[in-house]
Structure formats: C-alpha cells, structure tokens
C-alpha cells in the first residue's frame, strides 16, 4: 500500500510505501535470464533522502550478454559493489544524489570492464569488447 504524493519536481510519486512481503522476490517476478544473462543484486543500500534523513534502498537488475555471458557476468559482479562505493560518503541527497551515484557506478563498472580487457590477449580482448552487454536496473528507496 502507498499514499499518493507530489515530488519536489511536481510529478506524482508514492509516499509511505508499505510492503507486506519480500520486495526482492517481487522484483524477480517475471524476470528471465537466459544462459548469457545474469541477475544483478539484490543489493541493499543506505541512502540520504532530500531532507537528510536516512532511508533504505533496494538495487536490482538483469544484465544480458548478446555474444556470451562474459560482459554480463562482469557487470553482475561489479555493478553492485561499485554502486555501494559511489553511495558511501556522498553528500548530495535525494533523487539527484541517487542519480549521480548510479551514473558514477555504471561508469566505474564500464571502466573496470575495459581495464580487464586490456589484460587479455589481443584476440580475447577483441572478442570480449565486441560482445554487447546491456543492463536494466532499478533502485527502489523510501523511508525506513
């Protein structure tokens, strides 16, 4: 259950969300990962809301490797850790702080993937970098 509210930007949003079951289970409902897909998370994060109070967030997602599971495996292993590191010590709060941290984590994960490829042989690196990987993620957060 939830109460409808209006965000700082004037858009409708949910407030005082109450979940009676495991949210991570709901996030995986209907998700399917083929042999080259990997689940990301779930990762519980501590965030700062707009007014500075602490709230908890759940980060989940799916990474798909279109030419094999290598890139998807890398993203699934590193993106949650990179996100946690990007949230730790962040001064900016609320939606903008979360968006900044998520973008920084994606960049950090991408940088790590490129660094890993540089350690491979030329042929392996070429195969690794030519394989497309896509990730779809969500961060759900609210007051404790």
């Amino acid at each position: 259950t939830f109460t409808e509210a209006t965000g700082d930007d004037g858009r409708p949003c949910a407030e005082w969300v109450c979940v009676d079951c495991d949210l991570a289970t709901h996030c995986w409902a209907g998700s399917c990962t083929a042999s080259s897909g990997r689940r990301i998370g779930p990762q519980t994060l501590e965030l700062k809301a707009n007014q500075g109070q602490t709230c908890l967030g759940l980060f989940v997602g799916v990474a798909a490797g279109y030419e094999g599971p290598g890139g998807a495996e890398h993203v699934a292993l590193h993106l949650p850790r990179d996100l946690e590191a990007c949230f730790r010590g962040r001064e900016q709060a609320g939606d903008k702080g979360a968006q900044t941290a998520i973008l920084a984590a994606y960049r950090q994960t991408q940088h790590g993937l490129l660094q890993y490829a540089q350690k491979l042989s030329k042929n392996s690196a070429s195969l690794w970098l030519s394989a497309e990987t896509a990730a779809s993620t969500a961060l759900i957060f609210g007051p404790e």
Side-chain angles (χ1 to χ4, degrees):
T1 59
F2 64 92
T3 305
E4 248 182 78
T6 304
D8 294 338
D9 58 1
R11 296 186 312 189
C13 65
E15 184 176 76
W16 301 109
V17 177
C18 178
V19 178
D20 294 330
C21 58
D22 181 18
L23 186 57
T25 302
H26 280 292
C27 290
W28 295 127
S31 78
C32 176
T33 57
S35 62
S36 62
R38 297 293 184 264
R39 290 182 174 178
I40 301 171
Q43 176 83 19
T44 303
L45 300 165
E46 192 171 286
L47 315 162
K48 287 184 187 175
N50 287 327
Q51 292 77 25
Q53 72 269 26
T54 300
C55 63
L56 293 177
L58 178 70
F59 183 73
V60 295
V62 176
Y66 296 109
E67 297 291 329
E73 186 74 28
H74 179 88
V75 170
L77 288 173
H78 291 90
L79 186 57
R81 283 187 253 160
D82 292 342
L83 185 67
E84 186 174 11
C86 289
F87 269 109
R88 196 175 310 120
R90 181 161 296 279
E91 293 299 318
Q92 189 176 17
D95 294 346
K96 293 209 184 282
Q99 184 178 17
T100 302
I102 290 169
L103 289 173
Y106 266 94
R107 287 185 186 112
Q108 190 171 335
T109 302
Q110 182 181 30
H111 179 73
L113 188 136
L114 294 173
Q115 282 187 320
Y116 177 77
Q118 289 178 350
K119 295 176 184 177
L120 300 173
S121 69
K122 187 175 180 179
N123 188 39
S124 294
S126 177
L127 289 171
W128 179 267
L129 293 173
S130 66
E132 295 179 27
T133 301
S136 178
T137 58
L139 174 62
I140 304 162
F141 62 95
E144 288 186 289

